[in-house]
Amino acid sequence: MSETKIAFAVIGGTGLTAIEGLEVIHREVVHTPYGEPSGQITHGMIGGQRIVFLARHGYTHNIPPHRINYRANIWALHSIGVRNVVAVGAVGGITPQMAPQTLVIPNQIIDYTYGRSHTFFDEGLRSVTHIDFSQPYCPKLRQALLNAGKQAAIDLIDGGTYAATQGPRLESAAEILRLERDGCDLVGMTAMPEAALAKELGLSYASCSVVANWAAGKTSGEITMSEIHRNLVVGMERLRQLLKVLNCC
Ligand code: HPA
């Protein structure tokens, strides 16, 4: 456990393998009963606050969404004293306001993933445990992110339903229409089981989703990696400004 209180953890997704401007204090290797996290945990300072950072896909961006050890990542953060987790992730925009480069603070999730180790309440239990997941994202931490947006004059979309898909391929146009009919506004590959695992350990968890592209079928032509990267560069810079003024408590 760190001596100084950690204000929050950032789990960085595609486009955020490091936080520019983070003054690194040290890097910590954490082993967990669930295996190895995606990488070392970076301790540092941003905006005068002590934070930690973990690159969800590894520091060289080599772990695809379905192979991330979500349990190890969340367990590791919890074990070092983290209580607030800001999950950053690239998403595709489905509904009209979810334009590329937009930052969204989603408030709901629908899980379309499969075959991922998705719970800590699995084996050797004294009794079966069901957590409440009515609000998958912590309302207080969501509000803190929205307040930071106001303070830093960064437009944020307040709310939206995140469709968590299996990946690593992007979706077909018909799949996106189905997600839209289901009520989803944005689509990404990493919010689940991450959000549920955080809730199982009692962590406050909220997401800042960065729209990288219009989802499949929402524009003519293919979705290209260069388009995704171009939009993420702009979105992630805004996100860094947001993190500098984020006040979690
Ligand atoms: N679909 C799923 N995940 C994504 C997308 C997408 O279109 N863009 C960035 N992450």
Side-chain angles (χ1 to χ4, degrees):
M1 178 98 60
S2 321
E3 283 153 32
T4 318
K5 195 166 171 251
I6 298 164
F8 56 90
V10 178
I11 304 181
T14 299
L16 193 74
T17 47
I19 303 180
E20 214 176 279
L22 180 73
E23 300 157 42
V24 175
I25 299 169
H26 68 106
R27 295 182 212 278
E28 184 176 9
V29 176
V30 181
H31 303 291
T32 88
Y34 303 96
E36 300 308 303
S38 298
Q40 298 177 354
I41 292 174
T42 305
H43 291 252
M45 300 289 293
I46 193 165
Q49 297 196 90
R50 179 77 185 263
I51 73 156
V52 295
F53 176 78
L54 177 63
R56 186 187 283 115
H57 298 278
Y59 287 93
T60 55
H61 201 260
N62 62 335
I63 311 171
H66 63 291
R67 291 215 166 266
I68 290 166
N69 190 339
Y70 295 94
R71 290 198 299 186
N73 287 352
I74 293 296
W75 196 95
L77 292 176
H78 182 263
S79 76
I80 62 164
V82 165
R83 292 297 169 257
N84 298 301
V85 178
V86 177
V88 179
V91 295
I94 300 176
T95 44
Q97 73 273 33
M98 303 291 167
Q101 302 182 5
T102 302
L103 267 53
V104 189
I105 313 298
N107 64 339
Q108 279 298 331
I109 297 180
I110 299 181
D111 187 6
Y112 300 91
T113 67
Y114 47 88
R116 301 182 180 190
S117 294
H118 64 285
T119 181
F120 291 110
F121 299 122
D122 196 15
E123 289 177 311
L125 300 175
R126 275 207 213 120
S127 68
V128 173
T129 304
H130 305 283
I131 57 151
D132 171 69
F133 203 52
S134 314
Q135 298 300 328
Y137 296 107
C138 169
K140 263 188 166 167
L141 188 53
R142 287 190 65 253
Q143 193 54 54
L145 285 162
L146 293 167
N147 293 346
K150 279 208 188 93
Q151 197 182 326
I154 293 164
D155 284 338
L156 300 173
I157 295 187
D158 177 1
T161 297
Y162 181 118
T165 56
Q166 179 71 355
R169 66 165 176 84
L170 298 173
E171 299 70 33
S172 70
E175 285 170 333
I176 292 298
L177 285 176
R178 173 191 167 207
L179 298 184
E180 194 168 15
R181 284 195 300 273
D182 283 355
C184 299
D185 298 291
L186 42 146
V187 55
M189 300 172 190
T190 55
M192 289 299 285
E194 197 174 84
L197 291 165
K199 198 139 203 199
E200 284 187 349
L201 291 191
L203 297 175
S204 296
Y205 177 97
S207 163
C208 184
S209 298
V210 181
V211 184
N213 53 280
W214 284 113
K218 291 292 167 186
T219 50
S220 54
E222 290 186 0
I223 301 165
T224 64
M225 286 310 288
S226 63
E227 167 198 358
I228 287 180
H229 285 303
R230 230 180 314 115
N231 289 323
L232 285 180
V233 167
V234 179
M236 292 302 172
E237 181 45 39
R238 289 203 191 116
L239 176 94
R240 282 184 197 104
Q241 301 309 322
L242 192 76
L243 294 178
K244 279 190 197 162
V245 297
L246 177 60
N247 182 4
C248 289
C249 20

